[in-house]
Amino acid sequence: MTFGFSTLVDFLTWTAILLLSLKLVATVVLLPRDRDTWFHARWSAALWWASKITPVIAVPCLIAVGVLQGDAELVWIFGAMMVFVVIAVPLKIWLRFGRRRGTGKQSA
């Protein structure tokens, strides 16, 4: 099943492209704002989470594309990227929410 795409590789590629585009848009919208105000609006909290979760979904799609195409170099490159994502995303989330609890400040 390819859901209207000619191949599974097309579907996975477009899924990764759309997810990483969402990350780009979320990042561009959030960067000009002050970090303390990111979570005051619901949509900005959703954008912050979208900027963290989309790579976790997109990179395995790209790894699957490499496996389906039989390109070992692509699998190694995106495998290394996945290791970075698996380390960086939880670390960033922990830094964002772990620091709030430890500083004694009340979170809004």
Side-chain angles (χ1 to χ4, degrees):
M1 254 167 89
T2 58
F3 304 103
F5 295 94
S6 59
T7 64
L8 183 58
V9 171
D10 290 342
F11 175 72
L12 292 171
T13 302
W14 277 106
T15 300
I17 289 169
L18 292 174
L19 287 169
L20 293 175
S21 297
L22 175 62
K23 178 185 176 38
L24 178 68
V25 169
T27 303
V28 167
V29 169
L30 288 174
L31 277 179
R33 297 187 63 183
D34 183 30
R35 286 184 179 204
D36 295 332
T37 63
W38 279 0
F39 289 99
H40 289 283
R42 275 184 195 251
W43 61 269
S44 60
L47 287 176
W48 188 86
W49 279 104
S51 72
K52 303 300 174 243
I53 299 301
T54 52
V56 174
I57 300 168
V59 174
C61 291
L62 295 171
I63 292 171
V65 167
V67 169
L68 290 172
Q69 290 182 341
D71 189 351
E73 187 174 314
L74 194 65
V75 172
W76 278 105
I77 290 169
F78 288 121
M81 188 183 296
M82 190 65 205
V83 170
F84 172 75
V85 166
V86 166
I87 293 169
V89 169
L91 181 64
K92 188 65 176 173
I93 292 171
W94 177 78
L95 288 174
R96 178 68 179 161
F97 294 108
R99 256 194 276 169
R100 276 189 164 178
R101 288 187 203 120
T103 59
K105 294 180 184 177
Q106 287 186 346
S107 60

